[in-house]
Amino acid sequence: ETGVTQSPTHLIKTRGQQVTLRCSSQSGHNTVSWYQQALGQGPQFIFQYYREEENGRGNFPPRFSGLQFPNYSSELNVNALELDDSALYLCASSFSEGSYNEQFFGPGTRLTVL
Amino acid sequence: AQSVTQLGSHVSVSEGALVLLRCNYSSSVPPYLFWYVQYPNQGLQLLLKYTSAATLVKGINGFEAEFKKSETSFHLTKPSAHMSDAAEYFCAVSRIYGNNRLAFGKGNQVVVIP
């Protein structure tokens, strides 16, 4: 069974640029959640996708957007990058049927904005 | 809204001593509660979870936690610390039904002193 994978591992961008981060769900999972973890902080929920539709969003501006594809992989897009967007971005997948849906996390993408 | 509070960002413990990490939650609905561990440059690994079954939950690596509704707490303990326990630990809460987004605490960085 393949776990959650994310790409790239690291990347460096400059302020104002756009970035796309990618996540492949664990086999059999239909839900992907994205989290932002700033240095020294706990992860913050960005949004979740369930069967290709957004299913909840945290307190992040519209320049943070996402997609989920028919194979349940996902992308996180951030436009007009700001210095404060520098963080570890974590993707988590789960199978959302029934009352309890454990999330399995990928290793993250470290984004540095200069 | 749901939230968790973890006090004391850095926790130092001697090898062989008790590890105690405190977590208090706030939730308007019955919660699910989790403890995650994060090693340097890695994603999050689930240590244990409370999902409304037994209040004393045993997890991996000898950790356990007790759900106390009257105290709104879910403290993490391990009787004897090992050097390999040096990591960052996060408490998290989610709702039982609907979107399973996780709300994390700020984390505890555990340092094990030989």
Side-chain angles (χ1 to χ4, degrees):
Chain A
E1 182 177 273
T2 304
V4 179
T5 60
Q6 293 185 243
S7 62
T9 305
H10 298 84
L11 75 165
I12 300 173
K13 292 286 187 177
T14 57
R15 194 170 46 183
Q17 285 188 312
Q18 179 267 340
V19 69
T20 297
L21 310 182
R22 294 177 175 83
C23 171
S24 292
S25 303
Q26 185 165 312
S27 177
H29 288 180
N30 56 14
T31 301
V32 173
S33 302
W34 286 91
Y35 294 84
Q36 181 197 65
Q37 185 179 13
L39 195 63
Q41 300 295 317
Q44 297 289 315
F45 176 76
I46 303 175
F47 45 56
Q48 182 181 88
Y49 280 83
Y50 170 63
R51 294 188 176 182
E52 303 179 58
E53 297 288 331
E54 188 176 291
N55 181 40
R57 187 179 184 93
N59 189 26
F60 281 81
R63 59 189 186 83
F64 285 78
S65 63
L67 284 173
Q68 188 181 30
F69 300 100
N71 66 356
Y72 302 124
S73 65
S74 177
E75 287 183 354
L76 164 65
N77 299 289
V78 187
N79 293 321
L81 283 167
E82 300 177 0
L83 297 179
D84 285 347
D85 296 334
S86 295
L88 180 68
Y89 288 84
L90 296 165
C91 164
S93 73
S94 57
F95 178 68
S96 293
E97 306 294 345
S99 63
Y100 171 60
N101 311 304
E102 180 177 341
Q103 296 190 41
F104 294 82
F105 284 83
T109 293
R110 174 75 63 186
L111 172 64
T112 301
V113 182
L114 302 176
Chain B
Q2 298 177 297
S3 65
V4 295
T5 301
Q6 293 179 251
L7 297 178
S9 59
H10 285 76
V11 176
S12 294
V13 59
S14 297
E15 191 176 13
L18 172 73
V19 179
L20 170 60
L21 302 180
R22 299 179 187 275
C23 173
N24 288 91
Y25 70 91
S26 173
S27 178
S28 57
V29 298
Y32 283 162
L33 292 158
F34 308 83
W35 277 98
Y36 285 87
V37 62
Q38 186 176 37
Y39 297 100
N41 301 313
Q42 294 188 24
L44 298 171
Q45 180 182 9
L46 182 66
L47 273 179
L48 49 77
K49 58 185 181 285
Y50 166 75
T51 56
S52 70
T55 56
L56 181 62
V57 180
K58 294 187 183 299
I60 62 171
N61 302 339
F63 285 93
E64 65 179 37
E66 186 171 8
F67 172 70
K68 292 187 177 180
K69 185 177 179 180
S70 61
E71 299 177 7
T72 61
S73 69
F74 190 58
H75 302 332
L76 181 71
T77 61
K78 181 174 180 178
S80 176
H82 295 164
M83 296 301 295
S84 60
D85 294 327
E88 188 141 27
Y89 293 80
F90 294 96
C91 181
V93 61
S94 77
R95 296 186 303 183
I96 295 177
Y97 296 105
N99 187 303
N100 63 342
R101 66 167 69 176
L102 292 164
F104 287 88
K106 291 187 176 182
N108 293 119
Q109 183 68 52
V110 172
V111 176
V112 181
I113 302 168

